[in-house]
Amino acid sequence: MSRIPATQSPAVPGSTDGGGRSTDRRAWVIDVDGCLVRTATGGGAGGTPMPRAVRFLEYLRARGERYVVCTNASQQTPHWYAEHLREMGLAVEDEAFVTAGSAAADHIARTHASGRILAVGGPGFLETLTGRGLDLLGPDRWQEAEAVVIGADDTYQTRWINAAALAVDGGAAFYTCVDVKWFHGGIGKSIASSSAMAAAVAWVTGVEPVILGKPSPALGQTLLRLLDAAPRDVTVLGDSLVEVELAHAMGSEAILLLSGATSAEEAAAIPAGKRPRHVLEDVEALFNLLAPEEKDHPHE
């Protein structure tokens, strides 16, 4: 896995290290849907950039700040999603884009030496797994599976869900990319398909899956390795409570935006020990906080 080069950069306003001292280095984990992009489809597909989102990433790049864009989407490859964002003007390289699917592939490749995996999901998800050298089994070979992993798809087939349940019931490790109920991208909500399929297998087998996307510690470790950053130097930016939970799992700080999955009332109800560093309306409000001299310039 490539790493984002380390650089020196100013801190987020008000951020401190564990001893209360102001830091001068920042690295960012940035959500896509409901944060950078307003969309009804996972990973930013078919959406439009949030106001100032393009300028926000330009600002980070100009100041040499490291960032990884991370989505809980898993249906396509990181390259597919990153290319789509670049077409919108959002400066995201392939190596700086992490999906729940790529995080799952990284974890499984590290922890299951045989690589014999029963994977349920769409073609892009399967391509992400094979790109890590994993041997994906067909449903007729479920007895050989060391692990089962479920990602997103539009057209799940009963024979694959049956094979996944049989493999888990037979003792295979069980993973899911996400366990959130709904997808929020700033335009309504829709069911998180991989969560629903994983819940079906869990209901049948009585085995709960290990989550490998947000907010799992496994994903947090992947992100820290990619950024090559200390946890205290990382800010996780997102519109959902899972991003706040991810930040706590990483030992990092969070900025929560109210432009997608979380209402102001839900943000106010977060327990004191788990609150984000800042709660802001959207990425435009964050950009204005970081670069007040550009606040009155025309929006991108």
Side-chain angles (χ1 to χ4, degrees), residues 11-23 26 28 231-238 240-241 243-248 251-257 267 270-281 286 289-290:
V12 173
S15 64
T16 61
D17 66 15
R21 297 175 297 274
S22 176
T23 67
R26 274 292 100 184
W28 296 77
R232 68 178 180 273
D233 295 327
V234 175
T235 296
V236 180
L237 174 67
S240 171
L241 297 182
E243 276 92 45
V244 179
E245 293 172 17
L246 174 64
H248 284 285
S252 302
E253 73 173 20
I255 297 178
L256 178 64
L257 305 182
I270 298 173
K274 298 182 178 180
R275 290 176 185 165
R277 181 79 182 185
H278 300 286
V279 177
L280 301 170
E281 284 298 317
L286 173 60
L289 181 65
L290 292 169

Side-chain angles (χ1 to χ4, degrees), residues 18-263:
R21 297 175 297 274
S22 176
T23 67
D24 63 356
R25 292 179 296 140
R26 274 292 100 184
W28 296 77
V29 174
I30 305 172
D31 179 48
V32 181
D33 307 310
C35 179
L36 290 178
V37 177
R38 180 177 288 110
T39 180
T41 308
T48 57
M50 292 283 191
R52 294 288 195 169
V54 171
R55 184 69 188 96
F56 170 63
L57 294 187
E58 290 175 348
Y59 173 88
L60 297 186
R61 289 170 71 92
R63 299 181 75 86
E65 302 202 5
R66 297 159 289 172
Y67 59 85
V68 170
V69 174
C70 181
T71 178
N72 252 353
S74 61
Q75 191 162 343
Q76 304 293 345
T77 65
H79 166 74
W80 190 96
Y81 289 119
E83 186 172 56
H84 192 68
L85 293 188
R86 289 193 293 271
E87 290 172 356
M88 297 183 199
L90 293 161
V92 182
E93 300 304 319
D94 289 359
E95 62 270 21
F97 197 100
V98 175
T99 69
S102 65
D106 289 338
H107 177 81
I108 293 170
R110 289 195 306 270
T111 56
H112 294 279
S114 76
R116 291 192 300 274
I117 309 299
L118 181 65
V120 180
F125 176 57
L126 302 184
E127 181 182 341
T128 301
L129 293 166
T130 56
R132 301 299 196 276
L134 297 170
D135 177 20
L136 303 188
L137 306 174
D140 57 333
R141 296 175 60 192
W142 64 263
Q143 299 96 330
E144 303 173 42
E146 182 180 344
V148 169
V149 60
I150 297 183
D153 195 5
D154 287 331
T155 56
Y156 293 102
Q157 297 181 15
T158 302
R159 66 193 185 104
W160 282 94
I161 300 301
N162 183 58
L166 288 169
V168 171
D169 193 56
F174 183 23
Y175 300 103
T176 182
C177 287
V178 298
D179 76 337
V180 296
K181 296 177 181 179
W182 297 103
F183 163 79
H184 297 264
I187 304 176
K189 66 180 181 180
S190 59
I191 190 172
S193 63
S194 57
S195 296
M197 290 300 103
V201 173
W203 178 71
V204 170
T205 63
V207 179
E208 292 298 321
V210 175
I211 306 160
L212 296 179
K214 302 175 190 177
S216 72
L219 173 60
Q221 291 304 311
T222 293
L223 294 168
L224 289 172
R225 282 194 298 271
L226 183 59
L227 287 165
D228 194 21
R232 68 178 180 273
D233 295 327
V234 175
T235 296
V236 180
L237 174 67
D239 67 297
S240 171
L241 297 182
V242 296
E243 276 92 45
V244 179
E245 293 172 17
L246 174 64
H248 284 285
M250 294 170 63
S252 302
E253 73 173 20
I255 297 178
L256 178 64
L257 305 182
L258 302 179
S259 49
T262 308
S263 67

